[in-house]
Each structure stands twice: as structure tokens, then as C-alpha cells.
């Protein structure tokens, strides 16, 4: 039987009652989080697939118990509760092994975009399946020719009756090899300026006309993928939003992504075990200082304190920005503030981890308490690139929040067919 039991009179359950039920349920149904475990892509393929299967199963357990999709509407399988319910649940579920892998990008931005722009049929087909852990989604935005200039997409869909024929390549797609669907931004019109010739589609990833190749990163992870689509046919019923109006969808898509990266989205559920990756979590830094005999060293304690302060400041800032946007006191574009802060903080905390670990970041024995910190240091900048670079976030803040002059663009009113292509990416509307 579901643990969810809305108030008998049909009124919304109070936050206190919801949290009390969650507190009673969690210890018996979810294991505690393993805070030493590295995020995706570090084990063998078998280990990664097992991890993904575990996440799906846990998501299903949450769904069956009435703790999934807290802020998703009830008609699409969610609970239709408020951000306050979600935030309270995040707190009580923090010690447990929550399937946070599914948060970004399945629930946000993909689920959030479907909620806003999907047809009724698309929402009913996909959102409950996401909430049950049956469908994992990825973002097909970046292309080999450029990631920041999202509107410069050149992977093309050409209409053929009720279908579209897609050719081209998307890249840097995290986890595409084990995912089910991609939300994909495609060029559907070359005769108009770049922002007016895009459309968004739902793409089923595992099928013959998509070849998914893996890319190995500097830390050995192979979560990144590049997809090659050759004469891939998509039904028009899988189009999200209007033809050639994909930029309207795309801008909200990037808003949802930014706000989730800053930690302020209502659609994510549960907190990852640490800010950023496993090894640099708060307790790990203190633990590392202890295990390496630095607890009496004021400099080391300063670093631990700095990491805690930064994490707290980032969390408070994203909460404030999130509330400001929801209340209409801040523009949606302010989501870039939380995204900028989280990127800066993540990078700094990983550097602090490396400073505390000392020479162990370059060479370690298997039982070295600092073993993970070197690997994390190699990846310290990834959070400042993924989801749009920090430079783009700064551009967005200066131009769209502070109202400073816009970056000069050379392709604004030019049909995309006539815009010179190739690196470096042209400026303009950016991720
Ligand atoms: C961990 C990780 C996960 C990712 N996952 C995904 C995913 O799942 N799906 C997906 O589609 N993509 C994904 N990406 C790709 C990511 O979105 C792009 O790498 C990012 O948008 C930057 O694009 P780029 O790499 O082409 O760099 P470029 O756009 O070529 O930028 C290179 C540099 O120039 C700067 N720059 C470019 N234009 C401007 C400008 N106008 N003003 C100021 N500076 C500028 C950039 O900020 C950057 O420093 C991921 C990336 C990472 C690191």
C-alpha cells in the first residue's frame, strides 16, 4: 500500500505530516548513502549498469510509497505538493541513498520542459514513466561545432510527411549509453536567422539509426558520449513545441537546467551526498584533515571552514534566487546567479580537497585516505562547463539581469544558411 495518504478531506497534506511520514518510512526502505562512492562512470561498465539499475529500482520504491515527483502535478503521477514539501523531504532524506542521478537531466530540465511544452499525450506517456524510474532522459544540446552557442545547432531535421529525417551529431551527452530518451534541439529551417529555425524533439536513444560512441575523460570516466544520427526518422508526434520555435522551448530548457544546477528547482528530489562529487563532501574534508594529522594546523582548519562557508553560502543564495524567481521578484534569467555560484564553489572545494591531500593528489597507495582527491582535482572544472560555462552565466547575468549592453553578434538578422560556420562559435544567445 502507498505510504502517501493525502488529508482525508482532500486538502493538501501539511509539510509536517508529510515529513513525519517520510521520517518513519525512510529508515526501513532506503539504505544509508555511501558517501565515499564516486559518481557515475568510474567503475566497470557492469558496475555502472548495476548502479543505474539500482537507481531505477529505488525511484520505483519511492514512487510506490508516494514520495516521488513531489512537485509534479498529480495528473502526471506526481504528488502536486509544494516546494516547501520538497525542501523538507530533501532534508530528511539527505542521509539516505536517494536516486539523485535521475534528477538532472531526467526530471529537470527534460521533465520540466515536457510539463511546459509537451502535448497532453507526451506528458501522460513520459512523465509518469520518468517518476517510476522507467525512463531515463538525457540532453542532446551540444554539437561538435560548439556548445555555448546552442542556437547555432547544425544537426538537421527535414520534414517528410508526418515524420522528420534527422542527420548530424550531438556530443558531450552524459550517460547516453545507458539512457532511454534524449530531448534534442535540431535545425529545421536554414533560411531564417539562427534562433528562428530550430525545433525540439523527443528521441529514443537505443535504436539502429543512432550510433552512440563513448568518450573517455581525463579521470578515466567514460560517461560522456557522442551520438551520430543518420537518416533517423522521428514521428511528428514527438515534436515538443511549435515548428521552428524551438528557441522558445530552448530558453526555458536552459532556465530549468541553470536553476537545477544552482539547487533551486522544485523538480529535483534528494540531495547528492555532497556538494559536487563524493570525495570533497563536508565530512570528508574534516575527516581528511583528521586522518592526515592536520587537525592542529590552523591553515588546514581554515580550508575546511572555507569549504563549509562556501557550501552554505551557495545553498542560501540558490534558495533566495529560487524563491525570488517563484515570487516574481527576480527575472527567470537570475537562475544564472545560482549556476555561477555553484560552479565557482564546486571548483574551489575540489581545490581545497587537493590542498589538504597534499602530495597524495599525485601519487597514492590504495589505503591512502586522500586517494579520491587527485581524481577529483582533475575534474574540478567540469562543473564550471557542464550546463553552460561560467563565462556564459556571467554574460547572462550582466546582459539579462543587470541590463548591461549586449554582446555584439554578427549573425542576428542573417539567414542561418549564410552565417559563416566553424570555430570559434559565433556569439549571441548563449547557453
Ligand atoms: C561534465 C559535463 C557534462 C556535460 N553534459 C552534457 C549533456 O548531457 N548534454 C549536452 O548537450 N552537453 C553536455 N555538456 C557540454 C557542455 O554543455 C558544453 O561543453 C558547454 O556548453 C560549453 O560548450 P563547448 O564545450 O563547445 O565550449 P565553447 O562553446 O567552444 O567555449 C569555449 C570557451 O569559450 C568561452 N566562450 C564561448 N563563447 C563565449 C562568449 N560568447 N562569451 C564569453 N565566453 C565565451 C566558453 O565559456 C569557454 O570557456 C557537458 C559538459 C561537461 C563538462
Amino acid at each position: 500500500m502507498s505510504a502517501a495518504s493525502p488529508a482525508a478531506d482532500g486538502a493538501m497534506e501539511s509539510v509536517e505530516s508529510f515529513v513525519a511520514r517520510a521520517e518513519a518510512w525512510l529508515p526501513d526502505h532506503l539504505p544509508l548513502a555511501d558517501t565515499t562512492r564516486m559518481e557515475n562512470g568510474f567503475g566497470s561498465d557492469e558496475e555502472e549498469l548495476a548502479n543505474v539499475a539500482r537507481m531505477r529500482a529505488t525511484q520505483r520504491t519511492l514512487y510506490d510509497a508516494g514520495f516521488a515527483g513531489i512537485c509534479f502535478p498529480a495528473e502526471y503521477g506526481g504528488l502536486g505538493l509544494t516546494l516547501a514539501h520538497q525542501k523538507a523531504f530533501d532534508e530528511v532524506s539527505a542521509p539516505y541513498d536517494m536516486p539523485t542521478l535521475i534528477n538532472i537531466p531526467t526530471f529537470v530540465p527534460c521533465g520540466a520542459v515536457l510539463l511546459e511544452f509537451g502535448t497532453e499525450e507526451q506528458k501522460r506517456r513520459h512523465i509518469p514513466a520518468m517518476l517510476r524510474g522507467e525512463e531515463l532522459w538525457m540532453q542532446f544540446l551540444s554539437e561538435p561545432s560548439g556548445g555555448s552557442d546552442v542556437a547555432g545547432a547544425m544537426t538537421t531535421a527535414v520534414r517528410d510527411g508526418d515524420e522528420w529525417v534527422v542527420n548530424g551529431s550531438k556530443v558531450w551527452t552524459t550517460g547516453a549509453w545507458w539512457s532511454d530518451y534524449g530531448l534534442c534541439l535540431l535545425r529545421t529551417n536554414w533560411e531564417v536567422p539562427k534562433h528562428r529555425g530550430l525545433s525540439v524533439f523527443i528521441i529514443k536513444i537505443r535504436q539502429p539509426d543512432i550510433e552512440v560512441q563513448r568518450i573517455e575523460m581525463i579521470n578515466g570516466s567514460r560517461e560522456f558520449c557522442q551520438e551520430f544520427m543518420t537518416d533517423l526518422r522521428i514521428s511528428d508526434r514527438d515534436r515538443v513545441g511549435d515548428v521552428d520555435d524551438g528557441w522558445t522551448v530552448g530558453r526555458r530548457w536552459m532556465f530549468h537546467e541553470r536553476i537545477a544546477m544552482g539547487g533551486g528547482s522544485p523538480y529535483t528530489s534528494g540531495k547528492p551526498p555532497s556538494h559536487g562529487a563524493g570525495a570533497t563532501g563536508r565530512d570528508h574534508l574534516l575527516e581528511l584533515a583528521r586522518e592526515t594529522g592536520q587537525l592542529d594546523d590552523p591553515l588546514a582548519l581554515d580550508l575546511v571552514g572555507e569549504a563549509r562557508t562556501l557550501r552554505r553560502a551557495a545553498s542560501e543564495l540558490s534558495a533566495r534566487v529560487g524563491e525570488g524567481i517563484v515570487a516574481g521578484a527576480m527575472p527567470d534569467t537570475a537562475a544564472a546567479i545560482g549556476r555561477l555560484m555553484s560552479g565557482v564553489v564546486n571548483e574551489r572545494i575540489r581545490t581545497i580537497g587537493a590542498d589538504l591531500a597534499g602530495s597524495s593528489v599525485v601519487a597514492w597507495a590504495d589505503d591512502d585516505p586522500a586517494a579520491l582527491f587527485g581524481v577529483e582535482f582533475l575534474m574540478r572544472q567540469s562543473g564550471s562547463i557542464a550546463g553552460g560555462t561560467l563565462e556564459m552565466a556571467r554574460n547572462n547575468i550582466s546582459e539579462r539581469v543587470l541590463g548591461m549592453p549586449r554582446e555584439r553578434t554578427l549573425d542576428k538578422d542573417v539567414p542561418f544558411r549564410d552565417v559563416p560556420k566553424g570555430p570559434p562559435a559565433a556569439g549571441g544567445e548563449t547557453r
Side-chain angles (χ1 to χ4, degrees):
M1 193 183 77
S2 164
S5 53
D9 58 2
M12 184 180 288
E13 183 179 16
S14 70
V15 174
E16 294 71 28
S17 156
F18 184 68
V19 164
R21 284 195 301 106
E23 274 176 327
W25 182 85
L26 282 160
D28 294 335
H29 296 89
L30 292 197
L32 291 174
D34 174 0
T35 50
T36 60
R37 190 173 56 223
M38 296 291 277
E39 297 288 314
N40 275 341
F42 294 95
S44 64
D45 285 2
E46 291 70 28
E47 284 166 335
E48 180 141 9
L49 290 176
N51 185 31
V52 171
R54 191 175 50 77
M55 292 273 180
R56 286 186 196 261
T58 309
Q59 184 61 32
R60 177 71 202 217
T61 303
L62 286 163
Y63 181 87
D64 289 342
F67 292 117
I70 293 172
C71 291
F72 279 84
E75 61 265 43
Y76 307 122
L79 302 182
L81 297 174
T82 67
L83 184 60
H85 291 81
Q86 181 62 67
K87 291 289 165 210
F89 183 77
D90 288 349
E91 289 306 319
V92 293
S93 65
Y96 297 95
D97 191 21
M98 287 287 290
T100 49
L101 178 66
I102 299 176
N103 279 337
I104 304 176
T106 299
F107 294 156
V108 205
C110 298
V113 165
L114 283 190
L115 273 183
E116 273 191 56
F117 296 96
T119 61
E120 192 58 24
E121 193 268 330
Q122 286 168 347
K123 288 190 247 193
R124 290 191 187 274
R125 184 160 29 117
H126 294 294
I127 292 175
M130 288 175 174
L131 297 178
R132 289 193 299 262
E134 290 161 9
E135 290 186 7
L136 298 182
W137 284 54
M138 288 297 149
Q139 305 186 73
F140 282 22
L141 275 174
S142 304
E143 297 195 2
S145 57
S148 293
D149 183 25
V150 181
M154 290 197 275
T155 298
T156 305
V158 176
R159 190 154 198 163
D160 181 17
D162 287 341
E163 290 188 325
W164 295 82
V165 183
V166 180
N167 280 286
S169 178
K170 294 284 175 179
V171 71
W172 312 131
T173 321
T174 315
W177 70 279
W178 45 252
S179 297
D180 306 299
Y181 289 92
L183 194 63
C184 189
L185 184 75
L186 295 171
R187 167 105 7 231
T188 44
N189 192 339
W190 289 74
E191 310 306 330
V192 291
K194 64 178 180 180
H195 297 104
R196 291 201 253 123
L198 298 161
S199 306
V200 173
F201 293 88
I202 298 167
I203 285 188
K204 200 167 192 307
I205 298 178
R206 274 171 278 171
Q207 56 168 300
D209 298 327
I210 301 186
E211 187 193 336
V212 179
Q213 284 184 5
R214 314 271 296 277
I215 302 170
E216 184 163 350
M217 288 193 277
I218 192 171
N219 61 356
S221 161
R222 296 178 69 226
E223 68 172 315
F224 265 166
C225 300
Q226 178 165 5
E227 303 81 27
F228 298 88
M229 294 172 271
T230 311
D231 292 334
L232 167 72
R233 298 189 87 85
I234 317 175
S235 165
D236 189 54
R237 80 178 189 142
D238 286 328
R239 173 169 46 81
V240 180
D242 292 335
V243 175
D244 292 348
D245 194 29
W247 194 240
T248 302
V249 182
R251 289 182 68 172
R252 289 297 294 172
W253 175 347
M254 284 172 259
F255 158 72
H256 283 296
E257 182 183 41
R258 275 183 208 125
I259 198 155
M261 292 192 72
S265 173
Y267 300 118
T268 60
S269 188
K271 290 182 181 174
S274 64
H275 193 291
T280 40
R282 181 184 60 194
D283 297 326
H284 285 92
L285 291 179
L286 189 59
E287 219 172 277
L288 179 67
R290 183 179 294 117
E291 286 176 351
T292 49
Q294 299 181 81
L295 273 192
D296 293 332
D297 178 348
L299 185 60
L301 293 184
D302 265 4
L303 289 174
V304 173
E306 183 189 342
R308 286 191 175 196
T309 310
L310 284 175
R311 193 178 291 105
R312 179 68 189 267
S315 154
E316 295 296 326
L317 181 77
S318 77
R320 189 165 167 200
V321 170
E323 283 159 19
I325 292 173
V326 169
M330 289 186 190
D332 286 0
T333 43
I337 298 172
R339 187 274 170 280
L340 173 61
M341 182 73 166
S342 84
V344 170
V345 166
N346 198 21
E347 204 167 318
R348 176 65 190 141
I349 289 177
R350 287 177 171 193
T351 305
I352 288 175
D355 285 347
L356 286 171
S359 57
S360 291
V361 294
V362 282
W364 56 80
D366 283 348
D367 59 350
D368 191 330
L372 293 178
F373 290 85
V375 180
E376 291 225 328
F377 185 68
L378 292 175
M379 287 298 285
R380 70 195 176 287
Q381 287 153 323
S382 66
S384 304
I385 301 172
T389 62
L390 296 193
E391 289 87 348
M392 292 300 132
R394 289 191 168 97
N395 281 358
N396 271 292
I397 294 165
S398 63
E399 295 175 7
R400 292 163 184 276
V401 180
L402 301 176
M404 291 166 77
R406 297 284 297 273
E407 185 176 10
R408 200 166 72 93
T409 59
L410 301 175
D411 54 7
K412 197 163 183 296
D413 297 315
V414 182
F416 191 62
R417 189 178 292 290
D418 300 333
V419 174
K421 315 284 189 309
E429 304 264 17
T430 49
R431 188 178 191 181

